[in-house]
Amino acid sequence: MIVYPSESTLLVKPSTVVGAPALVRMTLLNGRRFIAAGPPKIIKNPQKIKALLERPVPCIAVQKRFNTLLGDFCGENVDVNRNGKIIDISAQQKRSSPHNKTKKKSRKVSGIVVGIDFGNTFTGVSYAHQNDGEMIDVVKWPKSSSAYSKVPTVNLYNSETDVRELTEWGSSAVASYRRSKGDRTLISDYKLQFFDHGRRAVLKHGLFLTDVMTHYLRGLHEYLMEEINKAQVVAKSGTVSMHYCVTVPKSWSKHTHGLILRCYVDASIIPQIRAPNVVIISEAEAAAAYCREHCVETDSLEDGDLFMICDAGGRTTQITVFRVDDSLGVRQFEYLSSSYAEDCGSTMLDQKFKELVLKRLSGLDLDARPQRQKALESLLDGFTEIKSLFDARAKEEIKHLPVPMGLDIYELNPTPDWMDDDFMAISGQELCDKVFDPVIEWIVDLILEQAQEHPRIFAGLFLVGGFGSNKYLFHRLKETFLLPRPPSTASPQHLGSLHSQPPSNASGSNLASIEEVPEMGIGLGGGSHAGLIEQVIMVPKAELAVARGAVIYGLKSSAAAAAAASTKRSKSGKSAKQ
């Protein structure tokens, strides 16, 4: 419905307008006259009209090319757009005339750069077209019911047939395995095997580690190409060149790099190990490249400053220290050192939550009936949403998880006091004490380990990774490492940054900074670590920071290679002429 003021009186009966709403005049709102268009049942009721006048309303829905009512009132060249504004459509009709039709220019075909963040728990993929650099994230995955933008790093094999044939991968593998576990083999957490065993690692049923990774990459890449074709990035008239930037842990050796690239070759993604269309970059360097492009806080960094990247993922967390180097006139981030820990990510939160639940169910025999195990899995799935939304305020809340009937909770005698109707009630404080804080304390220890190695104030701590996007982790790290502000000057943006925001002072930093702090012993060897870090930043799209950073690095790498090839061809041409 749309309502607009009028200086005249106009009455149009509903029966005189075919397929259009009725139009009447009303005197409302301090005696001003208004023309009201809408369904007869509404416009006959002054109270409903008054309510509609006091809030935004949608425009008139029409079937014809122009609005019948407005055409009768103001002429055929007038219509109403989606925002309820009256517009002149004569220019649009003129442009849409058959005599004025022009052929649309086709998009220039250029190469595509793909960034693949192969993680132990989840894998992230992003890509960009070389001619515009627009970042595109692959966030929809086969049979995924989760809103999470990454896909599980798992393989599913059929145990009854040839186990070397991959049945499903990713979200599809998880869903199928839950439905039928008897004849299926699910393989996960295999990336960590590369640290110790490499090619020789043998997993379940005689599968080699490199075979499992090759199967996963093949399925991932085939789906990626389907998504790229759906987006019509690849021209129908031919193919485009594909460039890949692969991320690996900084600690992996050159030999392990070769094993990874061999998997890409066997998966038919690249033609050979030393292919010109593939580059390798460390996960930390990819994250730093992303922060440089997408975090305004990096603009306030000065030559010689040290900062940390905290890549908190599903299974592992890595703290990496970089130094800002502006000596050559072009800003560079120099890698200095890193600390790494397993069992220090979001999956450890799942494990600790499961321990909490099992302790509450200690009086119930979960193996007595088959449906109880499935009911337990369903109960534990409810933690996924709690985990993703958990923040500092959640500490004061009570969380409720629906308890499936198959769990037979009411067989416990007496009924547990944590049961609230058909829900399990868990306080936010208990979740902090028994689930979140123990894992976060490990991350704090990793940060302090790097602080001991570089005893100085750090200019920033950038949070990336799946767990790095958790708001409670962000809050705890600010609480631990930032210098508190006096109440009179403190404000939310002075205590950290959830996302990159425009600077609010001359230095370009809108975050906590250290003004008068002793240069020695800050946060080291004592109970307080406040002032050790000047700012804590949760970067935008933290879970995809590594994949996106790989694309940024790949775009620059492919552009540099293309420029070098062009220069070489130019020199060859000049030599031939001479």
Side-chain angles (χ1 to χ4, degrees), residues 102-119:
T102 56
K103 293 183 178 179
K104 293 183 179 180
K105 293 183 179 180
S106 59
R107 186 176 186 177
K108 183 179 178 182
V109 177
S110 65
I112 296 174
V113 175
V114 179
I116 300 178
D117 173 24
F118 180 79

Side-chain angles (χ1 to χ4, degrees), residues 239-252:
T239 59
V240 299
S241 58
M242 300 292 295
H243 303 266
Y244 300 91
C245 185
V246 178
T247 64
V248 296
K250 185 70 176 179
S251 58
W252 279 9

Side-chain angles (χ1 to χ4, degrees), residues 355-366 409 412 418:
E355 292 172 1
L356 187 155
V357 171
L358 290 177
K359 186 175 181 179
R360 290 188 170 193
L361 301 177
S362 58
L364 189 67
D365 186 0
L366 295 174
I409 289 293
L412 293 175
W418 42 259

Side-chain angles (χ1 to χ4, degrees), residues 371-547:
Q371 67 269 22
R372 288 185 180 178
Q373 284 295 336
K374 291 185 177 181
L376 175 63
E377 290 181 2
S378 179
L379 173 64
L380 296 176
D381 286 343
F383 180 63
T384 301
E385 183 177 359
I386 292 177
K387 179 174 61 175
S388 63
L389 300 176
F390 203 82
D391 56 18
R393 292 172 297 182
K395 196 171 186 178
E396 310 300 327
E397 299 173 353
I398 302 294
K399 302 297 182 181
H400 291 83
L401 283 81
V403 178
M405 294 181 61
L407 203 54
D408 303 324
I409 289 293
Y410 290 103
E411 288 190 7
L412 293 175
N413 191 14
T415 302
D417 56 3
W418 42 259
M419 279 296 293
D420 186 359
D421 291 333
D422 293 329
F423 295 85
M424 176 183 287
I426 305 177
S427 69
Q429 184 64 56
E430 186 175 11
L431 288 172
C432 289
D433 295 341
K434 298 182 180 179
V435 178
F436 285 89
D437 287 347
V439 179
I440 293 175
E441 287 172 4
W442 296 344
I443 296 177
V444 170
D445 289 342
L446 290 175
I447 294 172
L448 292 177
E449 182 180 328
Q450 287 302 304
Q452 291 282 3
E453 190 165 340
H454 308 279
R456 57 180 293 180
I457 298 173
F458 288 84
L461 172 65
F462 295 83
L463 299 179
V464 302
F467 188 33
S469 62
N470 182 270
K471 293 181 180 180
Y472 183 70
L473 170 64
F474 173 66
H475 163 75
R476 281 297 313 276
L477 293 180
K478 287 192 304 176
E479 188 178 58
T480 303
F481 294 111
L482 294 190
L483 201 64
R485 286 279 183 173
S488 58
T489 60
S491 63
Q493 59 263 37
H494 284 113
L495 298 178
S497 176
L498 262 177
H499 296 295
S500 300
Q501 300 176 2
S504 58
N505 53 35
S507 66
S509 175
N510 65 333
L511 305 169
S513 60
I514 296 178
E515 297 173 351
E516 297 181 0
V517 180
E519 293 190 4
M520 298 184 65
I522 298 178
L524 304 179
S528 174
H529 311 299
L532 178 63
I533 299 172
E534 293 186 8
Q535 53 183 346
V536 178
I537 306 100
M538 182 194 295
V539 307
K541 293 187 176 292
E543 69 277 7
L544 289 171
V546 174

